Amino acid sequence: MDDIEAELNIPQAQAESESSEDERIQKTLKPPGLLHVSSIKGRCRESGFHKSVRLCLKAMRDAMLHHRWQEAAQYLAAYSQSLEDSTTQKQLIVSEIIWRLGTEILYHHPNSKLEDFNALYERMKNSGVKNYAKICLEHSFHLLLNGHFHESKQQLSVAASWRYGKQSATQSLLLKLIHAYCGFLDYFIWCMKRSSVAKVAVEAEADVGNREMHTYFRQASVTLQQIISQPGVWDPFILSYIDMLEFYNDQEEALNVLQNYAYNKDYPANPNAHVYLYQFLKRHNAPNIKLIRTLKVLCSLVPSHELILEYCSLLLNSDVQEDLQEALGVAMNLLDYTSWKTNVNAWNCLMNILKLLKSKGLKHLIDKEWEERKTLWLAMHYRTCHCRKDFKENAELVKVKIKVITLLGIYNTGYSKVYLDVSMARSTQKRKRKTSTDRSDRLDL
Amino acid sequence: MDEDLTEGYSEPCGQCGNVCWGLTDAEQFFCKNCHNVIERTKDVVDSSTYSANNRISHFPSGGRKWIVCEGFQFILKHQAEALVGLGVCPEFKKKVLWNFWMRYLQKTRQAYTKNPRITNGSPGDITSDSEPESLALNESSEASDGKLSVCSGSLDAAYYSFAKESKSRHLMTMPRTLALCHLALLWMREAITLADLLRLVSKRHVPYINVHEHFPEEMKIFGKDCKFFIAESIPSYRMVHREASLLAKVMELPTFPPVSQDCLLHPALLCLRYTMDANLPDELHLLVCKVMEKTAMGNDFFLTFDPAGPKQRLPCYDLQAAALIIVTMKLLFKLDDQTECKMFSLRRWYMSVQPALESAREREEQAEARQAWKSKKPVVPNLKNKTLVLKRRRVVEQLQSNFHTLTGSTMEQQPPAPSSFLFLWGTEEGADGPSLHHKRLAFLMEKKGRARCLVNRKYWHPALRLCHPRECREHFLELESSLPRMYVWLLGLFSFLLGVSQAQLHGEVIQVERRLLRGKGMR
């Protein structure tokens, strides 16, 4: 499944520019160890043709790393002769190199057009079969990102019906992905139709539009259902399916799908599944208990998730004591993470919890939690250096933290000292300015 | 294109019921509608159309019978024409090379002899009054029973490929064509040395790579022919030199015309050319000539090639000229990395040549990277892969045209005009650097009594004794780290100019030093 996750990231990777470029070049050059690193011994037997090809690859890589795209394109034209190499082993590697480096060059070259991309993809798809599925996917992603949904769908449907003996078995995972994206593209087209129908004023046209939408919905849901029923990580597909189901008011089915995705043991643990379920329940005004239950699982999976604050506020609204205790534990856990350490909202939340617990006379709970964490927290949050840093960032944060530590019953930390010093200094400055303005006022008088 | 290959097969597809077949890369039939691949392959189709009659007379789509020798004859013809086009005297093609070729065929008993040993072993008289342009071997190349030439376009490729036979028979190969050209050029004492010839070949001024494109239409080459006619490397200097010596022996050539002072191959003139190319002062040439006298490397006896004579050594004129220059420079400047500071002009010379050398090396590497090796008319090594090979060629051409239109450059890049010189020194546009030809070297000589001696009194050299009387291999690789860097750099410069390895040039330098220091020349 890791492969598929990597593949799922392809659309984002293509949108990025420089950061993935080197990785992609590295990735392409790692397997063909023969081609760019050859021992001296091997080189003695190297034919003139192989030497030219090796130098060409080296020069092309140099040109690409230095962003000399025109030169790189010229070298690629010369490099393509290596497709005719009679050594089959090298040939497989060569077609992959030409595909990947070619697309990279076209992506960056100022004069490249969509036709160039299409032509390159078509050629490389049909030379050698090992990379057929991958190239098809990449081609359709490219069309998708350039807004050509129908062409993209066409490419995917051609690819989905591809059969080639043993090869289609080894590439079955990719073919599954192709199938999934077919459904996904149906959803895209459905979205397009939905927005166009919304703008249409004439009822007859709207009817036609609705019917078309429904066709796409049916196609998409059949495919997506098939895909989702298999264990895996299918986040974008789930979201698209739920979106369509919600549009047609099929809440029950949507809930089933989400629950299956989140709770089915066969599926890999995926915090997003719980997030989606929670968001769905929230949209449809589910009772708090359900929400809490959902978020509890999320909390156990990812204690530093951004929804934890919502979880805390939900827990605070309940009357059960365990919930409040839970809230305290969760909030304090949250602040152990560096990403939350200087977050004012998180500290505010903790402050509210402490206030509430104190008002309900549950101080012993606070003390219990605090005992465990005292040494860690004083060192991690309440040193003098932290105070100075926090002042620079956000004065509000300092105030909240001081309130918290006061609520916890500690008054004598390095943090507090610095806080007092700074606030004294500020107040004296204020007084000085005030007296000087008073004096100047009096003089004026 | 697939239609004519799958035509005749009209079974409906098992999956979709359509009758619309195409061919995959691996020659399997697939349904164009649903992409279902079936087990039927093109082999099945092909062999069913072949008749039971395996006579050679059945040729794919026209063509005539020809043997491998004929192919080589065409190649030599084209090479000769190219050389004549570059300025060699026309007699080279009409008389010298042709006579050499005839003699070669005679001596290796392939033709022009009473009992030619060819493919099927059947004896037959060859008419020797055939025109220069064609070999009348048609009679004897008639059907050899049972021999399938379906695996090659020529009749005797299978025979040719028996390695044992070819080693003892000295059959023609691609590098040997160059060796033969070299011998012919030497016979005519033309200015094109072996190093020049190889450089012309690598820049595609003399056909060698993809020369089969020049074959006439009727001579189809495929299958086993590829081994003989398709070259994927330019042979090295050493290899061609060795083949030339071998061929001269096999052909039992008489003593070559003497190479005297007025010939362009004479070291005096070659040295002048190399000193000019290397931006060395013209005065150096006089000193080189003096060294030449001392080592007796300038006299006819030393320079003339006599295959039947006691030495049987084919001289390497270019290497010897370069070695002489290097030895002279060692005499003048010592070149031991320590005495440089006094010799002001040497450092200046180095500073002017080094950047030019580096950029020339880079240009050379870039040109090599962009060099096209595969032919526009692809040759099929195996009939089974024919469609695959043709398809690949199509793909390559399409890719190339796409990227060429993208970059705006043209497909056909004409190679720059050939030149004897690699560098241009002076103040013209495109020059590699300032010219130092006019510099004086007088300060390197001083008067001592009546004679003039070199200022530099010391000379260094590695061990000159041959470690094995006949087969002393090159020791350059072992010695290289202990040699002065200036010397190694100088070797690098001249080896780049000539296109040979530094080790080879170093070997020649040692030979010159042996002659100089052991007094061989002092007779």
Side-chain angles (χ1 to χ4, degrees), chain A residues 48-49 52 70 74 81 84 91 123 126, chain B residues 232-233 368 370-371 373 391 393 398 407:
Chain A
F49 169 59
S52 276
Q70 184 80 340
Q74 287 168 349
Q81 66 178 332
E84 294 185 273
Q91 232 162 44
R123 308 267 171 280
N126 292 315
Chain B
E232 286 202 344
S233 297
E368 196 169 355
R370 290 185 214 221
Q371 192 66 270
W373 289 84
K391 181 184 169 192
R393 181 70 220 162
Q398 283 164 346
T407 58

mmCIF file with all atom_site columns, all heavy atoms in Angstrom, chain A residues 48-49 52 70 74 81 84 91 123 126, chain B residues 232-233 368 370-371 373 391 393 398 407:
data_model
loop_
_atom_site.group_PDB
_atom_site.id
_atom_site.type_symbol
_atom_site.label_atom_id
_atom_site.label_alt_id
_atom_site.label_comp_id
_atom_site.label_asym_id
_atom_site.label_entity_id
_atom_site.label_seq_id
_atom_site.pdbx_PDB_ins_code
_atom_site.Cartn_x
_atom_site.Cartn_y
_atom_site.Cartn_z
_atom_site.occupancy
_atom_site.B_iso_or_equiv
_atom_site.pdbx_formal_charge
_atom_site.auth_seq_id
_atom_site.auth_comp_id
_atom_site.auth_asym_id
_atom_site.auth_atom_id
_atom_site.pdbx_PDB_model_num
ATOM 1   N N   . GLY A 1 48  ? 32.088 2.560  -28.851 1.00 0.00 ? 48  GLY A N   1
ATOM 2   C CA  . GLY A 1 48  ? 31.969 3.996  -29.060 1.00 0.00 ? 48  GLY A CA  1
ATOM 3   C C   . GLY A 1 48  ? 30.550 4.469  -28.862 1.00 0.00 ? 48  GLY A C   1
ATOM 4   O O   . GLY A 1 48  ? 30.308 5.540  -28.293 1.00 0.00 ? 48  GLY A O   1
ATOM 5   N N   . PHE A 1 49  ? 29.594 3.647  -29.276 1.00 0.00 ? 49  PHE A N   1
ATOM 6   C CA  . PHE A 1 49  ? 28.184 4.004  -29.135 1.00 0.00 ? 49  PHE A CA  1
ATOM 7   C C   . PHE A 1 49  ? 27.811 4.127  -27.666 1.00 0.00 ? 49  PHE A C   1
ATOM 8   O O   . PHE A 1 49  ? 27.197 5.107  -27.235 1.00 0.00 ? 49  PHE A O   1
ATOM 9   C CB  . PHE A 1 49  ? 27.348 2.930  -29.832 1.00 0.00 ? 49  PHE A CB  1
ATOM 10  C CG  . PHE A 1 49  ? 25.886 2.999  -29.558 1.00 0.00 ? 49  PHE A CG  1
ATOM 11  C CD1 . PHE A 1 49  ? 25.168 4.130  -29.863 1.00 0.00 ? 49  PHE A CD1 1
ATOM 12  C CD2 . PHE A 1 49  ? 25.210 1.928  -29.007 1.00 0.00 ? 49  PHE A CD2 1
ATOM 13  C CE1 . PHE A 1 49  ? 23.804 4.203  -29.624 1.00 0.00 ? 49  PHE A CE1 1
ATOM 14  C CE2 . PHE A 1 49  ? 23.859 1.989  -28.760 1.00 0.00 ? 49  PHE A CE2 1
ATOM 15  C CZ  . PHE A 1 49  ? 23.150 3.119  -29.071 1.00 0.00 ? 49  PHE A CZ  1
ATOM 16  N N   . SER A 1 52  ? 29.333 7.229  -26.147 1.00 0.00 ? 52  SER A N   1
ATOM 17  C CA  . SER A 1 52  ? 28.573 8.440  -26.504 1.00 0.00 ? 52  SER A CA  1
ATOM 18  C C   . SER A 1 52  ? 27.315 8.558  -25.666 1.00 0.00 ? 52  SER A C   1
ATOM 19  O O   . SER A 1 52  ? 26.978 9.634  -25.172 1.00 0.00 ? 52  SER A O   1
ATOM 20  C CB  . SER A 1 52  ? 28.161 8.399  -27.970 1.00 0.00 ? 52  SER A CB  1
ATOM 21  O OG  . SER A 1 52  ? 29.175 8.860  -28.782 1.00 0.00 ? 52  SER A OG  1
ATOM 22  N N   . GLN A 1 70  ? 17.238 24.294 -22.647 1.00 0.00 ? 70  GLN A N   1
ATOM 23  C CA  . GLN A 1 70  ? 17.421 24.181 -24.094 1.00 0.00 ? 70  GLN A CA  1
ATOM 24  C C   . GLN A 1 70  ? 18.466 23.124 -24.409 1.00 0.00 ? 70  GLN A C   1
ATOM 25  O O   . GLN A 1 70  ? 18.265 22.254 -25.251 1.00 0.00 ? 70  GLN A O   1
ATOM 26  C CB  . GLN A 1 70  ? 17.862 25.557 -24.624 1.00 0.00 ? 70  GLN A CB  1
ATOM 27  C CG  . GLN A 1 70  ? 18.008 25.647 -26.106 1.00 0.00 ? 70  GLN A CG  1
ATOM 28  C CD  . GLN A 1 70  ? 16.680 25.827 -26.812 1.00 0.00 ? 70  GLN A CD  1
ATOM 29  O OE1 . GLN A 1 70  ? 15.619 25.533 -26.284 1.00 0.00 ? 70  GLN A OE1 1
ATOM 30  N NE2 . GLN A 1 70  ? 16.732 26.294 -28.018 1.00 0.00 ? 70  GLN A NE2 1
ATOM 31  N N   . GLN A 1 74  ? 18.303 19.298 -26.278 1.00 0.00 ? 74  GLN A N   1
ATOM 32  C CA  . GLN A 1 74  ? 19.155 18.851 -27.393 1.00 0.00 ? 74  GLN A CA  1
ATOM 33  C C   . GLN A 1 74  ? 19.815 17.529 -27.064 1.00 0.00 ? 74  GLN A C   1
ATOM 34  O O   . GLN A 1 74  ? 19.894 16.616 -27.899 1.00 0.00 ? 74  GLN A O   1
ATOM 35  C CB  . GLN A 1 74  ? 20.223 19.895 -27.694 1.00 0.00 ? 74  GLN A CB  1
ATOM 36  C CG  . GLN A 1 74  ? 19.664 21.114 -28.375 1.00 0.00 ? 74  GLN A CG  1
ATOM 37  C CD  . GLN A 1 74  ? 20.661 22.249 -28.415 1.00 0.00 ? 74  GLN A CD  1
ATOM 38  O OE1 . GLN A 1 74  ? 21.701 22.213 -27.764 1.00 0.00 ? 74  GLN A OE1 1
ATOM 39  N NE2 . GLN A 1 74  ? 20.360 23.272 -29.174 1.00 0.00 ? 74  GLN A NE2 1
ATOM 40  N N   . GLN A 1 81  ? 18.632 7.907  -29.359 1.00 0.00 ? 81  GLN A N   1
ATOM 41  C CA  . GLN A 1 81  ? 19.160 6.823  -30.196 1.00 0.00 ? 81  GLN A CA  1
ATOM 42  C C   . GLN A 1 81  ? 19.468 5.582  -29.363 1.00 0.00 ? 81  GLN A C   1
ATOM 43  O O   . GLN A 1 81  ? 19.533 4.473  -29.896 1.00 0.00 ? 81  GLN A O   1
ATOM 44  C CB  . GLN A 1 81  ? 20.411 7.273  -30.946 1.00 0.00 ? 81  GLN A CB  1
ATOM 45  C CG  . GLN A 1 81  ? 21.561 7.568  -30.038 1.00 0.00 ? 81  GLN A CG  1
ATOM 46  C CD  . GLN A 1 81  ? 22.824 7.960  -30.782 1.00 0.00 ? 81  GLN A CD  1
ATOM 47  O OE1 . GLN A 1 81  ? 23.049 7.567  -31.922 1.00 0.00 ? 81  GLN A OE1 1
ATOM 48  N NE2 . GLN A 1 81  ? 23.661 8.739  -30.124 1.00 0.00 ? 81  GLN A NE2 1
ATOM 49  N N   . GLU A 1 84  ? 17.560 2.259  -29.476 1.00 0.00 ? 84  GLU A N   1
ATOM 50  C CA  . GLU A 1 84  ? 17.836 1.230  -30.464 1.00 0.00 ? 84  GLU A CA  1
ATOM 51  C C   . GLU A 1 84  ? 18.976 0.322  -30.045 1.00 0.00 ? 84  GLU A C   1
ATOM 52  O O   . GLU A 1 84  ? 19.435 -0.488 -30.830 1.00 0.00 ? 84  GLU A O   1
ATOM 53  C CB  . GLU A 1 84  ? 18.181 1.880  -31.795 1.00 0.00 ? 84  GLU A CB  1
ATOM 54  C CG  . GLU A 1 84  ? 17.004 2.624  -32.404 1.00 0.00 ? 84  GLU A CG  1
ATOM 55  C CD  . GLU A 1 84  ? 17.348 3.140  -33.774 1.00 0.00 ? 84  GLU A CD  1
ATOM 56  O OE1 . GLU A 1 84  ? 17.896 4.253  -33.866 1.00 0.00 ? 84  GLU A OE1 1
ATOM 57  O OE2 . GLU A 1 84  ? 17.097 2.421  -34.733 1.00 0.00 ? 84  GLU A OE2 1
ATOM 58  N N   . GLN A 1 91  ? 17.833 -1.334 -22.657 1.00 0.00 ? 91  GLN A N   1
ATOM 59  C CA  . GLN A 1 91  ? 16.687 -0.730 -23.317 1.00 0.00 ? 91  GLN A CA  1
ATOM 60  C C   . GLN A 1 91  ? 15.570 -0.396 -22.354 1.00 0.00 ? 91  GLN A C   1
ATOM 61  O O   . GLN A 1 91  ? 14.920 0.637  -22.465 1.00 0.00 ? 91  GLN A O   1
ATOM 62  C CB  . GLN A 1 91  ? 16.147 -1.730 -24.318 1.00 0.00 ? 91  GLN A CB  1
ATOM 63  C CG  . GLN A 1 91  ? 15.976 -1.177 -25.697 1.00 0.00 ? 91  GLN A CG  1
ATOM 64  C CD  . GLN A 1 91  ? 15.878 -2.304 -26.664 1.00 0.00 ? 91  GLN A CD  1
ATOM 65  O OE1 . GLN A 1 91  ? 15.184 -3.269 -26.394 1.00 0.00 ? 91  GLN A OE1 1
ATOM 66  N NE2 . GLN A 1 91  ? 16.553 -2.180 -27.767 1.00 0.00 ? 91  GLN A NE2 1
ATOM 67  N N   . ARG A 1 123 ? 4.381  7.972  -27.086 1.00 0.00 ? 123 ARG A N   1
ATOM 68  C CA  . ARG A 1 123 ? 5.518  7.181  -27.565 1.00 0.00 ? 123 ARG A CA  1
ATOM 69  C C   . ARG A 1 123 ? 6.020  6.251  -26.488 1.00 0.00 ? 123 ARG A C   1
ATOM 70  O O   . ARG A 1 123 ? 6.268  5.076  -26.720 1.00 0.00 ? 123 ARG A O   1
ATOM 71  C CB  . ARG A 1 123 ? 6.691  8.065  -27.968 1.00 0.00 ? 123 ARG A CB  1
ATOM 72  C CG  . ARG A 1 123 ? 6.440  9.160  -28.891 1.00 0.00 ? 123 ARG A CG  1
ATOM 73  C CD  . ARG A 1 123 ? 6.664  8.783  -30.354 1.00 0.00 ? 123 ARG A CD  1
ATOM 74  N NE  . ARG A 1 123 ? 6.176  9.862  -31.158 1.00 0.00 ? 123 ARG A NE  1
ATOM 75  C CZ  . ARG A 1 123 ? 4.913  10.047 -31.450 1.00 0.00 ? 123 ARG A CZ  1
ATOM 76  N NH1 . ARG A 1 123 ? 4.012  9.191  -31.053 1.00 0.00 ? 123 ARG A NH1 1
ATOM 77  N NH2 . ARG A 1 123 ? 4.532  11.091 -32.141 1.00 0.00 ? 123 ARG A NH2 1
ATOM 78  N N   . ASN A 1 126 ? 4.133  3.092  -25.437 1.00 0.00 ? 126 ASN A N   1
ATOM 79  C CA  . ASN A 1 126 ? 4.150  1.933  -26.308 1.00 0.00 ? 126 ASN A CA  1
ATOM 80  C C   . ASN A 1 126 ? 5.524  1.356  -26.553 1.00 0.00 ? 126 ASN A C   1
ATOM 81  O O   . ASN A 1 126 ? 5.657  0.387  -27.281 1.00 0.00 ? 126 ASN A O   1
ATOM 82  C CB  . ASN A 1 126 ? 3.485  2.310  -27.639 1.00 0.00 ? 126 ASN A CB  1
ATOM 83  C CG  . ASN A 1 126 ? 2.014  2.555  -27.429 1.00 0.00 ? 126 ASN A CG  1
ATOM 84  O OD1 . ASN A 1 126 ? 1.366  1.780  -26.751 1.00 0.00 ? 126 ASN A OD1 1
ATOM 85  N ND2 . ASN A 1 126 ? 1.516  3.647  -27.950 1.00 0.00 ? 126 ASN A ND2 1
ATOM 86  N N   . GLU B 2 232 ? 30.164 -0.277 -34.051 1.00 0.00 ? 232 GLU B N   1
ATOM 87  C CA  . GLU B 2 232 ? 29.672 0.654  -33.033 1.00 0.00 ? 232 GLU B CA  1
ATOM 88  C C   . GLU B 2 232 ? 30.802 1.374  -32.327 1.00 0.00 ? 232 GLU B C   1
ATOM 89  O O   . GLU B 2 232 ? 30.567 2.035  -31.325 1.00 0.00 ? 232 GLU B O   1
ATOM 90  C CB  . GLU B 2 232 ? 28.812 -0.116 -32.019 1.00 0.00 ? 232 GLU B CB  1
ATOM 91  C CG  . GLU B 2 232 ? 27.473 -0.474 -32.602 1.00 0.00 ? 232 GLU B CG  1
ATOM 92  C CD  . GLU B 2 232 ? 26.421 -0.736 -31.543 1.00 0.00 ? 232 GLU B CD  1
ATOM 93  O OE1 . GLU B 2 232 ? 26.797 -0.940 -30.378 1.00 0.00 ? 232 GLU B OE1 1
ATOM 94  O OE2 . GLU B 2 232 ? 25.240 -0.741 -31.889 1.00 0.00 ? 232 GLU B OE2 1
ATOM 95  N N   . SER B 2 233 ? 31.988 1.224  -32.821 1.00 0.00 ? 233 SER B N   1
ATOM 96  C CA  . SER B 2 233 ? 33.120 1.954  -32.237 1.00 0.00 ? 233 SER B CA  1
ATOM 97  C C   . SER B 2 233 ? 34.065 2.344  -33.337 1.00 0.00 ? 233 SER B C   1
ATOM 98  O O   . SER B 2 233 ? 34.159 1.657  -34.341 1.00 0.00 ? 233 SER B O   1
ATOM 99  C CB  . SER B 2 233 ? 33.924 1.077  -31.298 1.00 0.00 ? 233 SER B CB  1
ATOM 100 O OG  . SER B 2 233 ? 33.191 0.667  -30.231 1.00 0.00 ? 233 SER B OG  1
ATOM 101 N N   . GLU B 2 368 ? 31.101 14.309 -28.792 1.00 0.00 ? 368 GLU B N   1
ATOM 102 C CA  . GLU B 2 368 ? 30.957 12.871 -28.679 1.00 0.00 ? 368 GLU B CA  1
ATOM 103 C C   . GLU B 2 368 ? 29.618 12.496 -28.070 1.00 0.00 ? 368 GLU B C   1
ATOM 104 O O   . GLU B 2 368 ? 28.976 11.525 -28.468 1.00 0.00 ? 368 GLU B O   1
ATOM 105 C CB  . GLU B 2 368 ? 32.087 12.300 -27.833 1.00 0.00 ? 368 GLU B CB  1
ATOM 106 C CG  . GLU B 2 368 ? 32.171 10.816 -28.035 1.00 0.00 ? 368 GLU B CG  1
ATOM 107 C CD  . GLU B 2 368 ? 33.408 10.203 -27.455 1.00 0.00 ? 368 GLU B CD  1
ATOM 108 O OE1 . GLU B 2 368 ? 34.269 10.948 -26.955 1.00 0.00 ? 368 GLU B OE1 1
ATOM 109 O OE2 . GLU B 2 368 ? 33.484 8.972  -27.507 1.00 0.00 ? 368 GLU B OE2 1
ATOM 110 N N   . ARG B 2 370 ? 26.877 14.068 -28.400 1.00 0.00 ? 370 ARG B N   1
ATOM 111 C CA  . ARG B 2 370 ? 25.778 14.259 -29.338 1.00 0.00 ? 370 ARG B CA  1
ATOM 112 C C   . ARG B 2 370 ? 25.921 13.429 -30.599 1.00 0.00 ? 370 ARG B C   1
ATOM 113 O O   . ARG B 2 370 ? 25.109 13.524 -31.503 1.00 0.00 ? 370 ARG B O   1
ATOM 114 C CB  . ARG B 2 370 ? 25.717 15.723 -29.782 1.00 0.00 ? 370 ARG B CB  1
ATOM 115 C CG  . ARG B 2 370 ? 25.273 16.620 -28.677 1.00 0.00 ? 370 ARG B CG  1
ATOM 116 C CD  . ARG B 2 370 ? 25.102 18.009 -29.189 1.00 0.00 ? 370 ARG B CD  1
ATOM 117 N NE  . ARG B 2 370 ? 25.459 18.938 -28.149 1.00 0.00 ? 370 ARG B NE  1
ATOM 118 C CZ  . ARG B 2 370 ? 24.806 20.045 -27.882 1.00 0.00 ? 370 ARG B CZ  1
ATOM 119 N NH1 . ARG B 2 370 ? 23.770 20.347 -28.605 1.00 0.00 ? 370 ARG B NH1 1
ATOM 120 N NH2 . ARG B 2 370 ? 25.201 20.831 -26.916 1.00 0.00 ? 370 ARG B NH2 1
ATOM 121 N N   . GLN B 2 371 ? 26.952 12.628 -30.656 1.00 0.00 ? 371 GLN B N   1
ATOM 122 C CA  . GLN B 2 371 ? 27.243 11.877 -31.875 1.00 0.00 ? 371 GLN B CA  1
ATOM 123 C C   . GLN B 2 371 ? 26.136 10.871 -32.161 1.00 0.00 ? 371 GLN B C   1
ATOM 124 O O   . GLN B 2 371 ? 25.694 10.155 -31.269 1.00 0.00 ? 371 GLN B O   1
ATOM 125 C CB  . GLN B 2 371 ? 28.582 11.157 -31.656 1.00 0.00 ? 371 GLN B CB  1
ATOM 126 C CG  . GLN B 2 371 ? 29.187 10.562 -32.904 1.00 0.00 ? 371 GLN B CG  1
ATOM 127 C CD  . GLN B 2 371 ? 29.605 11.615 -33.882 1.00 0.00 ? 371 GLN B CD  1
ATOM 128 O OE1 . GLN B 2 371 ? 28.828 12.023 -34.730 1.00 0.00 ? 371 GLN B OE1 1
ATOM 129 N NE2 . GLN B 2 371 ? 30.835 12.057 -33.785 1.00 0.00 ? 371 GLN B NE2 1
ATOM 130 N N   . TRP B 2 373 ? 24.922 7.471  -33.745 1.00 0.00 ? 373 TRP B N   1
ATOM 131 C CA  . TRP B 2 373 ? 25.530 6.205  -34.157 1.00 0.00 ? 373 TRP B CA  1
ATOM 132 C C   . TRP B 2 373 ? 24.569 5.326  -34.947 1.00 0.00 ? 373 TRP B C   1
ATOM 133 O O   . TRP B 2 373 ? 24.993 4.509  -35.739 1.00 0.00 ? 373 TRP B O   1
ATOM 134 C CB  . TRP B 2 373 ? 25.988 5.435  -32.913 1.00 0.00 ? 373 TRP B CB  1
ATOM 135 C CG  . TRP B 2 373 ? 27.157 6.053  -32.268 1.00 0.00 ? 373 TRP B CG  1
ATOM 136 C CD1 . TRP B 2 373 ? 27.150 7.079  -31.376 1.00 0.00 ? 373 TRP B CD1 1
ATOM 137 C CD2 . TRP B 2 373 ? 28.524 5.730  -32.471 1.00 0.00 ? 373 TRP B CD2 1
ATOM 138 N NE1 . TRP B 2 373 ? 28.430 7.407  -31.008 1.00 0.00 ? 373 TRP B NE1 1
ATOM 139 C CE2 . TRP B 2 373 ? 29.293 6.586  -31.666 1.00 0.00 ? 373 TRP B CE2 1
ATOM 140 C CE3 . TRP B 2 373 ? 29.180 4.783  -33.261 1.00 0.00 ? 373 TRP B CE3 1
ATOM 141 C CZ2 . TRP B 2 373 ? 30.677 6.531  -31.612 1.00 0.00 ? 373 TRP B CZ2 1
ATOM 142 C CZ3 . TRP B 2 373 ? 30.563 4.729  -33.193 1.00 0.00 ? 373 TRP B CZ3 1
ATOM 143 C CH2 . TRP B 2 373 ? 31.293 5.604  -32.388 1.00 0.00 ? 373 TRP B CH2 1
ATOM 144 N N   . LYS B 2 391 ? 9.806  -0.387 -35.665 1.00 0.00 ? 391 LYS B N   1
ATOM 145 C CA  . LYS B 2 391 ? 8.975  0.451  -34.803 1.00 0.00 ? 391 LYS B CA  1
ATOM 146 C C   . LYS B 2 391 ? 9.847  1.343  -33.939 1.00 0.00 ? 391 LYS B C   1
ATOM 147 O O   . LYS B 2 391 ? 9.575  2.533  -33.773 1.00 0.00 ? 391 LYS B O   1
ATOM 148 C CB  . LYS B 2 391 ? 8.121  -0.462 -33.928 1.00 0.00 ? 391 LYS B CB  1
ATOM 149 C CG  . LYS B 2 391 ? 7.207  0.304  -33.001 1.00 0.00 ? 391 LYS B CG  1
ATOM 150 C CD  . LYS B 2 391 ? 6.474  -0.648 -32.107 1.00 0.00 ? 391 LYS B CD  1
ATOM 151 C CE  . LYS B 2 391 ? 5.790  0.133  -31.012 1.00 0.00 ? 391 LYS B CE  1
ATOM 152 N NZ  . LYS B 2 391 ? 5.302  -0.683 -29.956 1.00 0.00 ? 391 LYS B NZ  1
ATOM 153 N N   . ARG B 2 393 ? 12.785 2.417  -34.545 1.00 0.00 ? 393 ARG B N   1
ATOM 154 C CA  . ARG B 2 393 ? 13.395 3.475  -35.357 1.00 0.00 ? 393 ARG B CA  1
ATOM 155 C C   . ARG B 2 393 ? 12.396 4.610  -35.536 1.00 0.00 ? 393 ARG B C   1
ATOM 156 O O   . ARG B 2 393 ? 12.739 5.794  -35.427 1.00 0.00 ? 393 ARG B O   1
ATOM 157 C CB  . ARG B 2 393 ? 13.795 2.877  -36.718 1.00 0.00 ? 393 ARG B CB  1
ATOM 158 C CG  . ARG B 2 393 ? 14.460 3.855  -37.639 1.00 0.00 ? 393 ARG B CG  1
ATOM 159 C CD  . ARG B 2 393 ? 15.833 4.241  -37.189 1.00 0.00 ? 393 ARG B CD  1
ATOM 160 N NE  . ARG B 2 393 ? 16.069 5.644  -37.385 1.00 0.00 ? 393 ARG B NE  1
ATOM 161 C CZ  . ARG B 2 393 ? 17.025 6.352  -36.797 1.00 0.00 ? 393 ARG B CZ  1
ATOM 162 N NH1 . ARG B 2 393 ? 17.822 5.779  -35.952 1.00 0.00 ? 393 ARG B NH1 1
ATOM 163 N NH2 . ARG B 2 393 ? 17.184 7.620  -37.040 1.00 0.00 ? 393 ARG B NH2 1
ATOM 164 N N   . GLN B 2 398 ? 10.611 10.060 -34.304 1.00 0.00 ? 398 GLN B N   1
ATOM 165 C CA  . GLN B 2 398 ? 9.557  10.976 -33.867 1.00 0.00 ? 398 GLN B CA  1
ATOM 166 C C   . GLN B 2 398 ? 10.004 11.771 -32.649 1.00 0.00 ? 398 GLN B C   1
ATOM 167 O O   . GLN B 2 398 ? 9.806  12.981 -32.575 1.00 0.00 ? 398 GLN B O   1
ATOM 168 C CB  . GLN B 2 398 ? 8.284  10.204 -33.537 1.00 0.00 ? 398 GLN B CB  1
ATOM 169 C CG  . GLN B 2 398 ? 7.526  9.776  -34.763 1.00 0.00 ? 398 GLN B CG  1
ATOM 170 C CD  . GLN B 2 398 ? 6.502  8.703  -34.455 1.00 0.00 ? 398 GLN B CD  1
ATOM 171 O OE1 . GLN B 2 398 ? 6.522  8.086  -33.394 1.00 0.00 ? 398 GLN B OE1 1
ATOM 172 N NE2 . GLN B 2 398 ? 5.604  8.476  -35.369 1.00 0.00 ? 398 GLN B NE2 1
ATOM 173 N N   . THR B 2 407 ? 13.452 22.725 -29.534 1.00 0.00 ? 407 THR B N   1
ATOM 174 C CA  . THR B 2 407 ? 14.627 23.568 -29.320 1.00 0.00 ? 407 THR B CA  1
ATOM 175 C C   . THR B 2 407 ? 14.898 24.486 -30.492 1.00 0.00 ? 407 THR B C   1
ATOM 176 O O   . THR B 2 407 ? 15.746 25.354 -30.404 1.00 0.00 ? 407 THR B O   1
ATOM 177 C CB  . THR B 2 407 ? 15.876 22.699 -29.117 1.00 0.00 ? 407 THR B CB  1
ATOM 178 O OG1 . THR B 2 407 ? 16.025 21.869 -30.277 1.00 0.00 ? 407 THR B OG1 1
ATOM 179 C CG2 . THR B 2 407 ? 15.758 21.834 -27.906 1.00 0.00 ? 407 THR B CG2 1
#
